[in-house]
């Protein structure tokens, strides 16, 4: 066995580092979720939908393009469909 750091072997050091990494990731995710639940939910949802091919990876760019082309309008921080018929068509397509 190779000794490092005052007599500990490499396997022990790696085990401690991996445990610390896992605990740090879990604590970090819990902290992010508690501080910004809406942002965390948005990121998780958009990435999941993008992985499934139901939403573009660059959602903001997609929404900005749709706004620039006149398909969406903004009302504060919210995007709205400009045309009710388009919204109805897309809603009907998603249900089938």
């Amino acid at each position: 066995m190779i000794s490092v750091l005052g007599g500990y072997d490499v396997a022990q050091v790696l085990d401690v580092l991996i445990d610390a990494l896992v605990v740090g990731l879990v604590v970090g995710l819990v902290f992010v979720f508690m501080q910004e639940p809406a942002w965390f939910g948005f990121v998780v949802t958009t990435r999941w939908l993008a992985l499934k091919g139901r939403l573009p990876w660059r959602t903001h760019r997609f929404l900005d393009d749709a706004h620039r082309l006149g398909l969406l309008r903004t009302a504060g921080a919210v995007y709205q469909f400009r045309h009710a018929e388009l919204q109805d068509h897309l809603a009907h397509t998603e249900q089938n």
Side-chain angles (χ1 to χ4, degrees):
M1 292 189 176
I2 301 173
S3 294
V4 292
L5 300 175
Y8 295 104
D9 66 55
V10 174
Q12 289 174 327
V13 172
L14 287 176
D15 284 343
V16 170
L17 288 175
I18 290 171
D19 290 345
L21 179 66
V22 170
V23 169
L25 284 173
V26 170
V27 169
L29 287 174
V30 168
F31 180 75
V32 166
F33 182 69
M34 289 173 55
Q35 296 299 317
E36 297 290 338
W39 174 84
F40 184 75
F42 170 78
V43 169
V44 169
T45 303
T46 55
R47 296 302 172 237
W48 177 254
L49 290 172
L51 277 171
K52 296 191 63 97
R54 301 186 59 104
L55 193 68
W57 278 101
R58 296 179 179 189
T59 307
H60 287 291
R61 184 178 292 175
F62 170 77
L63 292 173
D64 288 340
D65 284 345
H67 179 261
R68 183 180 51 79
L69 294 170
L71 299 172
L72 298 174
R73 66 175 176 239
T74 55
V78 178
Y79 285 103
Q80 297 175 336
F81 283 100
R82 187 173 296 277
H83 306 286
E85 290 177 13
L86 175 61
Q87 181 177 356
D88 293 340
H89 174 75
L90 293 173
H92 180 70
T93 302
E94 286 297 315
Q95 292 175 358
N96 291 334

